[in-house]
Amino acid sequence: MGVGNAYETDLRDYTHGRIYRVAYKQAPAYTPISLSKDRPAELIAALRNTNMFWRNHAQRLLVERGNKDIVPQLITLLQDQSVDEIGLNPAAVHALWTLEGLGAMGDQNVLKAVTAALKHPSAAVRKNAVQVLPPTEATAQALLNHNTLNDTEPLVLLNTLLKLTETPLSPAVEEAILSRFENANEADDRWMPDAFAIALNAHGGKLMQTYLNKRKVSSRLSATGAQQAAMNHDHHAMEMSNEGNKSEQPQNRQLNKPDLAITNITTNPVQPFVRENAAVTIEITNKGAAIPKEIVPVVKVQVEGLGLKINWVSYQLKNGIGAGETIQLVENNNGPWVGRFGFTAEQAGKLRISASIDADNLIPEEDDVKNNTFSKTFEVKRPAKLTDFAFRKAARSYASSMQVQKEKLALISQYPDNEARYAVLKGYCEWLELQTQSGSRRCRVKLLVGTKETMPERI
């Protein structure tokens, strides 16, 4: 595809391909079948086929046939409470979507059967039943009656939250969602914080406003807690430095050659949470003579651990480095593209970030070995609770969808406790940063623990 893209070689074959057939050795003998819209009974039977291809094919033909004469047979499939060895009942799932595709959800008998499927032994059937139910007040009440917000299967909970964003918001629904949100313990789940964030933002952000008011009344930081937070608020640090910030370092002796050293590696936030983007900054100090602009030191950075293995190279030190200067390097090169150092970990624990400068010793230095490499271990924290993590995501999308201005969101942030205030403003900052394509203007949050002086800034 051109320079800088796919591996280029004359050995690449652009005219042939490979087709692999992967088969289960203990599968029963395969027998092709023939399906037709003219034989609906066979199509209904095919919804039980062990081969998903034929089940999908039969479902499509039943929907395209457009005749609701097979609705009773589909309800019978849906009422089958059996499950296979992995807890599935595929025929019931296909029956649900065939009924939905036929537009049969207005039939009271169908609605009764689908609603009853919210208690089906198969979690997959329960999840799909939530999805096909119409977004009505009756559906919302049915979900509350069947307690799907507390289903043992996370996907049922997730789809219940999404469905309730489409149904009318009654006081009972509002109370149920907020109660489930406040007691949520799925902080490690990949998608649940997003689902709760969507629920908070639905209906014009009414749930988010209600939750903020509840936090205002019920949650206060004690003086002792504020002091402890002041001593340990690494996750409140949001300042980001742009490349080119330089500070003079005192020189102890006159040197004739450069002496490059990686002096520190930092992340922002200092202790990121799981699934939270962490910006990486490499601090480089020239302890020797100045490096002119025509010499560009190469910096290599590696992130390893928690399932991550990231390698970057940076050619961004193009402006020279004066004697005693310290550079904050934040950008890397990927072919012709330039991006920021950063990572997102999907699990909690420790990872290691290593950096080296001029590893090939192309620049004559006072000491070509010492200080040219640096490694540091960082900890990624598990979110203490889902509420603030989801709340931050809700604030970010709320700022985007509702076009909230800085002054309005700052006003909102005045009355929750410190953790909620930080979550709101951090989400707002993330939205602000998305508005700046160049990335040259960053957002930071200053949190003065124990006070209400928490404000976003543009820098």
Side-chain angles (χ1 to χ4, degrees):
M1 301 299 294
V3 177
N5 285 279
Y7 173 57
E8 293 182 346
T9 172
D10 294 337
L11 298 177
R12 293 195 69 176
D13 184 351
Y14 292 95
T15 58
H16 299 82
R18 296 180 179 88
I19 297 177
Y20 295 92
R21 182 173 182 268
V22 181
Y24 176 47
K25 290 184 177 180
Q26 298 180 20
Y30 174 69
T31 303
I33 61 176
S34 176
L35 298 177
S36 171
K37 295 178 183 178
D38 299 327
R39 300 189 298 274
E42 292 181 5
L43 297 179
I44 294 292
L47 294 179
R48 294 182 180 272
N49 196 287
T50 57
N51 190 314
M52 187 176 181
F53 172 82
W54 293 113
R55 296 200 304 271
N56 284 337
H57 191 34
Q59 176 184 323
R60 177 179 62 82
L61 291 175
L62 286 170
V63 173
E64 290 179 352
R65 180 172 172 268
N67 195 325
K68 297 181 182 179
D69 58 344
I70 43 88
V71 165
Q73 293 96 312
L74 293 173
I75 291 177
T76 300
L77 286 180
L78 188 55
Q79 293 171 337
D80 179 5
Q81 300 292 298
S82 65
V83 296
D84 61 18
E85 61 273 17
I86 59 173
L88 296 178
N89 185 325
V93 173
H94 286 282
L96 283 167
W97 288 104
T98 305
L99 289 167
E100 194 275 341
L102 287 171
M105 300 306 294
D107 186 323
Q108 291 303 310
N109 291 327
V110 172
L111 274 178
K112 182 178 178 180
V114 174
T115 302
L118 295 174
K119 286 293 187 182
H120 197 281
S122 171
V125 175
R126 300 197 301 272
K127 180 199 78 168
N128 284 277
V130 173
Q131 290 179 322
V132 301
L133 281 169
T136 63
E137 186 175 350
T139 290
Q141 190 59 50
L143 296 177
L144 297 186
N145 293 342
H146 287 78
N147 199 25
T148 54
L149 280 172
N150 291 291
D151 196 281
T152 55
E153 169 56 49
L155 285 174
V156 176
L157 165 59
L158 184 147
N159 281 278
T160 299
L161 288 170
L162 297 182
K163 180 62 69 173
L164 292 176
T165 66
E166 301 171 352
T167 63
L169 183 63
S170 66
V173 169
E174 182 175 340
E175 181 181 354
I177 294 177
L178 289 180
S179 176
R180 184 62 177 85
F181 179 55
E182 291 170 338
N183 294 287
N185 58 5
E186 296 90 353
D188 285 333
D189 190 278
R190 174 63 182 85
W191 299 112
M192 210 60 71
D194 295 278
F196 276 108
I198 291 170
L200 289 174
N201 277 333
H203 308 291
K206 188 175 185 299
L207 284 174
M208 188 168 77
Q209 295 287 348
T210 303
Y211 179 68
L212 275 167
N213 286 325
K214 291 185 71 173
R215 288 285 287 257
K216 174 186 176 183
V217 173
S218 64
S219 184
R220 301 285 184 184
L221 276 180
S222 66
T224 302
Q227 291 173 0
Q228 292 174 347
M231 292 184 289
N232 183 22
H233 62 281
D234 289 344
H235 64 290
H236 290 153
M238 289 194 64
E239 296 193 19
M240 295 186 182
S241 300
N242 292 320
E243 182 188 358
N245 291 342
K246 304 177 181 181
S247 60
E248 295 294 333
Q249 301 292 328
Q251 296 287 42
N252 296 326
R253 60 191 178 91
Q254 185 66 34
L255 298 176
N256 297 319
K257 296 180 181 179
D259 189 6
L260 297 172
I262 307 287
T263 49
N264 198 12
I265 300 174
T266 59
T267 64
N268 177 29
V270 175
Q271 280 192 323
F273 287 116
V274 172
R275 298 185 297 277
E276 179 177 32
N277 180 261
V280 176
T281 299
I282 311 299
E283 183 180 281
I284 301 164
T285 301
N286 180 13
K287 299 181 178 181
I291 295 179
K293 289 185 178 182
E294 58 267 19
I295 298 178
V296 179
V298 178
V299 178
K300 296 180 180 179
V301 181
Q302 182 183 70
V303 178
E304 193 167 13
L306 303 181
L308 298 174
K309 191 172 181 64
I310 306 172
N311 291 285
W312 292 299
V313 62
S314 178
Y315 303 95
Q316 292 302 105
L317 300 177
K318 302 174 182 179
N319 298 321
I321 307 176
E325 284 186 333
T326 295
I327 305 294
Q328 307 292 330
L329 180 64
V330 299
E331 292 182 330
N332 66 85
N333 297 83
N334 179 16
W337 298 281
V338 175
R340 290 182 62 86
F341 296 125
F343 66 88
T344 303
E346 291 293 329
Q347 53 187 292
K350 295 183 178 181
L351 54 77
R352 193 168 186 81
I353 304 179
S354 304
S356 65
I357 187 168
D358 191 32
D360 298 325
N361 294 323
L362 300 179
I363 301 174
E365 296 183 59
E366 292 287 343
D367 189 332
D368 286 331
V369 179
K370 187 178 179 181
N371 297 329
N372 280 43
T373 61
F374 188 93
S375 295
K376 194 171 179 180
T377 300
F378 296 85
E379 182 179 4
V380 176
K381 299 170 61 178
R382 176 187 179 275
K385 52 186 177 180
L386 179 142
T387 50
D388 290 337
F389 188 50
F391 201 43
R392 191 191 89 215
K393 290 176 172 285
R396 171 175 166 174
S397 57
Y398 185 69
S400 175
S401 62
M402 304 302 291
Q403 295 300 307
V404 178
Q405 300 300 318
K406 171 180 173 179
E407 294 77 12
K408 294 181 182 178
L409 200 63
L411 179 63
I412 292 174
S413 72
Q414 293 301 305
Y415 48 83
D417 57 273
N418 280 339
E419 295 299 326
R421 188 181 313 126
Y422 173 73
V424 173
L425 291 174
K426 184 170 183 181
Y428 182 58
C429 258
E430 290 174 351
W431 171 72
L432 283 177
E433 290 176 8
L434 289 175
Q435 313 309 304
T436 308
Q437 295 183 359
S438 66
S440 59
R441 299 184 70 192
R442 314 301 295 168
C443 176
R444 81 183 163 195
V445 166
K446 288 183 177 180
L447 177 63
L448 304 181
V449 180
T451 75
K452 295 182 178 180
E453 299 178 34
T454 310
M455 294 291 291
E457 302 181 34
R458 296 296 292 270
I459 60 174

